[in-house]
Amino acid sequence: MKIAELFYSVQGEGALVGVPSFFIRTSGCNLRCAWCDTPYTSWNPEGADLTLDQIVNELKEHPARHVVVTGGEPIIAPEIIPLTERLRGLGLHITIETAGTVFKPVACDLMSISPKLSNSTPQGPWTEQHNRLRINREVLMQLMSRYEYQLKFVIENPGDIEEVRPLVASLEADRARVILMPEGTDRDVLRGRGVWLAEICKSEGYRFSPRLHVDLYGNRRGV
């Protein structure tokens, strides 16, 4: 299984922000977000081929009771089902971070779904494929009906909410599970966007999430 990195840190986003967690970051993605903060898993996938035993042995070196399987897009990883089944057998709480474009019957306690808005669309040869794949309502609804979920949207400017509203309505999503996060990999940018985004959350009834890992560590790998 191609793994970009394994590390122990705190969850930086969403409903479990601040929870100590072991992160398994797979390499490879079917999208190419313009603002991707992990290009080493998508635009230029890199990593090492690790067995499930190697992954689990590294995990056991840490006291985490929560594990986050992320990417890239972890659900396209060839061994994602046996990996999550191994994690389930260890009695861990499993979060899967996904764009919600692909379905597989994984073991999961929190399906953390981040549908990509048009602000993610890159310029160049990936534009068409990215736009074609970035929203798959059938897969989104399947994930939401099968798992405990949260919907996370990356917001770059106030107008992005005009895309969020109709998508949330069409999915009949619980507003309490809809989370808006400012786009950015810099503390000052996130702070500036967070001020107006928090006001949008207050008026729309959605949750606001910081990017705690950026605030604590910057946009560095393995923290």
Side-chain angles (χ1 to χ4, degrees):
M1 191 171 190
K2 192 169 186 178
I3 299 296
E5 54 186 342
L6 303 172
F7 60 99
Y8 182 52
S9 188
V10 294
Q11 174 60 274
E13 302 172 350
L16 295 177
V17 64
V19 174
S21 304
F22 185 81
F23 289 77
I24 301 171
R25 188 181 299 283
T26 66
S27 192
C29 190
N30 58 340
L31 300 179
R32 292 294 184 275
C33 295
W35 39 251
C36 179
D37 59 0
T38 56
Y40 52 93
T41 68
S42 59
W43 286 95
N44 298 292
E46 57 185 74
D49 289 323
L50 302 182
T51 66
L52 298 187
D53 284 340
Q54 288 174 308
I55 296 169
V56 169
N57 288 341
E58 176 65 23
L59 184 158
K60 288 179 177 178
E61 293 296 315
H62 305 279
R65 302 310 305 164
H66 287 71
V67 60
V68 180
V69 185
T70 184
E73 175 49 72
I75 294 187
I76 67 172
E79 293 183 273
I80 187 64
I81 293 175
L83 171 63
T84 59
E85 289 174 347
R86 286 285 297 272
L87 299 174
R88 169 68 77 241
L90 294 173
L92 300 170
H93 180 283
I94 305 165
T95 297
I96 295 183
E97 300 279 356
T98 177
T101 62
V102 182
F103 177 83
K104 287 182 183 175
V106 294
C108 179
D109 297 291
L110 176 62
M111 190 63 70
S112 181
I113 311 166
S114 182
K116 306 310 178 194
L117 304 177
S118 60
N119 64 29
S120 69
T121 302
Q123 298 300 310
W126 281 96
T127 300
E128 182 179 352
Q129 177 174 317
H130 181 89
N131 271 334
R132 176 169 50 85
L133 297 178
R134 65 184 175 83
I135 299 292
N136 187 322
R137 284 180 174 79
E138 181 179 345
V139 170
L140 291 172
M141 295 186 73
Q142 192 172 14
L143 292 171
M144 291 165 60
S145 66
R146 182 161 182 148
Y147 301 100
E148 286 292 316
Y149 72 89
Q150 60 184 13
L151 286 180
K152 297 192 305 181
F153 292 96
V154 175
I155 305 297
E156 188 173 36
N157 61 72
D160 292 340
I161 196 65
E162 302 300 330
E163 292 182 57
V164 174
R165 285 194 198 106
L167 181 56
V168 168
S170 70
L171 296 172
E172 299 182 349
D174 180 352
R175 282 182 175 241
R177 301 187 187 194
V178 177
I179 300 171
L180 307 186
M181 309 184 302
E183 190 280 322
T185 56
D186 175 87
R187 294 182 183 94
D188 292 335
V189 171
L190 292 175
R191 190 169 294 113
R193 288 175 173 162
V195 171
W196 53 256
L197 183 55
E199 295 305 311
I200 290 176
C201 289
K202 286 160 63 177
S203 65
E204 299 285 338
Y206 302 142
R207 296 180 63 170
F208 174 87
S209 174
R211 312 295 289 276
L212 179 62
H213 52 299
V214 176
D215 194 46
L216 291 176
Y217 309 114
N219 190 42
R220 293 189 286 116
R221 296 175 63 169
V223 291

